[in-house]
Amino acid sequence: MSNDFRLGGDLVINRMGFGAMRLPTSSFLGPARDPETGRAVLRRAVELGVDHIDTAAFYTSGDGSVRANDLIREALHPYPAGLVIAAKVGPVRTPDGAAQAITDPAGLRALVEENLETLGLDRLDLVYLRIGGMAPPPRGESVAARFEALAALREEGLIRHLGLSHIDAGHLAEARAIAPVAAVQNHFHAAKRDDVELLRACEEAGIAFVPYFPLGGGHDDLAVGDRLAEVAGRHGATVPQIALAWLLASSPVTLAIPGTGSVSHLEENVAAGGITLTEEDLADLT
């Protein structure tokens, strides 16, 4: 299986990317991490061949003093050729640190412009419309008006490709009737496989499937289990590395965006992209 993926049909990227959420803080409302460490992680990621960074303007420390987009710009701008930066819009931070959804076209435009400004870009390679919170995707809730607003910004040239996050198959079909969908970002990992059918739908359409919390997170944790540990032992690898390798082996359209605030952990994650699981491994992990 190839280590590369053609995002949106025209952006060739390494399937092992990087998620920026944990750069400012280890948890959504946690204290700020050292920004210089965050910048070092980003520089090392690019050195290791990472060319896909997933971020959002609302990825900040609890006090707002450290922001992922600022770290990305400070560490990497002017950006190396071929670096793809994806952002998600919809949620914003309220003064008490909670998340609030923005749904009106003017509000979504402002969020896109905020990401452009803070990242120092004229156009975002990929923008996800994020709906809902951490509960299961809100079935039956229309995404049409919001997706149409982002599609209009794509026509203006502010966005190259469009994506959806935290959705179900109905949302995907509704959005695809409006404009092309290049990527879907849902909660999925080796111990949480609820969205296998959605993954297969993305595979059939050539749409990237980009799990958030690929090693567990939010309100759940990766269940280690004997099977992951047994396969890890065969490869002389860690359990998280095998979990990432399983994600990449699960479909040719799956991209991994593990996040970390540690250079050593980053190196461990990226090395997982070089692990090839055998048929026996995959059978044991089914």
Side-chain angles (χ1 to χ4, degrees):
M1 193 175 292
S2 173
N3 287 330
D4 292 334
F5 181 79
R6 192 174 292 273
L7 180 68
D10 63 350
L11 296 174
V12 179
I13 56 174
N14 191 321
R15 294 175 63 213
M16 180 64 74
F18 178 78
M21 186 179 72
R22 297 194 186 279
L23 287 177
T25 178
S26 61
S27 61
F28 192 68
L29 296 176
R33 279 178 156 163
D34 175 21
E36 183 50 44
T37 300
R39 291 187 285 266
V41 168
L42 287 160
R43 296 187 190 105
R44 182 59 177 149
V46 171
E47 290 174 355
L48 292 171
V50 169
D51 54 11
H52 168 212
I53 296 176
D54 182 87
T55 188
F58 62 88
Y59 287 174
T60 74
S61 58
D63 61 4
S65 64
V66 181
R67 300 175 179 271
N69 284 5
D70 292 343
L71 295 176
I72 292 168
R73 187 190 68 252
E74 292 161 1
L76 303 177
H77 194 278
Y79 299 113
L83 179 66
V84 169
I85 298 180
K88 63 181 63 66
V89 297
V92 296
R93 291 285 194 113
T94 60
D96 62 357
Q100 174 185 332
I102 299 298
T103 59
D104 63 291
L108 290 171
R109 182 186 187 96
L111 294 181
V112 169
E113 291 176 344
E114 179 185 13
N115 278 282
L116 288 167
E117 180 180 358
T118 54
L119 289 165
L121 291 168
D122 296 322
R123 179 174 67 171
L124 290 162
D125 294 313
L126 172 64
V127 172
Y128 292 96
L129 172 63
R130 163 79 183 200
I131 67 170
M134 288 306 300
R139 297 184 184 278
E141 176 184 319
S142 175
V143 299
R146 285 170 282 178
F147 202 70
E148 286 170 353
L150 294 184
L153 298 181
R154 176 175 173 267
E155 291 300 313
E156 286 186 35
L158 298 182
I159 300 171
R160 186 167 188 164
H161 293 299
L162 299 173
L164 295 160
S165 178
H166 201 58
I167 61 155
D168 60 28
H171 298 128
L172 178 58
E174 185 182 32
R176 292 185 70 199
I178 296 167
V181 175
V184 167
Q185 189 172 134
N186 269 28
H187 194 179
F188 188 84
H189 53 68
K192 180 176 171 46
R193 308 185 189 187
D194 310 45
D195 283 335
V196 167
E197 290 186 9
L198 183 60
L199 167 59
R200 297 307 169 211
C202 288
E203 186 175 315
E204 291 177 8
I207 296 170
F209 188 80
V210 192
Y212 64 81
F213 295 147
L215 296 174
H219 297 298
D220 71 344
D221 292 305
L222 181 66
V224 174
D226 292 338
R227 291 179 295 174
L228 279 170
E230 182 178 341
V231 174
R234 290 178 200 156
H235 289 268
T238 65
V239 165
Q241 283 180 318
I242 296 303
L244 290 171
W246 176 84
L247 275 179
L248 295 178
S250 64
S251 169
V253 305
T254 302
L255 311 181
I257 50 167
T260 179
S262 159
V263 170
S264 61
H265 192 196
L266 165 76
E267 293 172 342
E268 176 184 328
N269 289 342
V270 173
I275 297 173
T276 300
L277 298 180
T278 66
E279 291 185 8
E280 180 186 4
D281 296 332
L282 294 172
D284 287 346
L285 296 174
T286 299

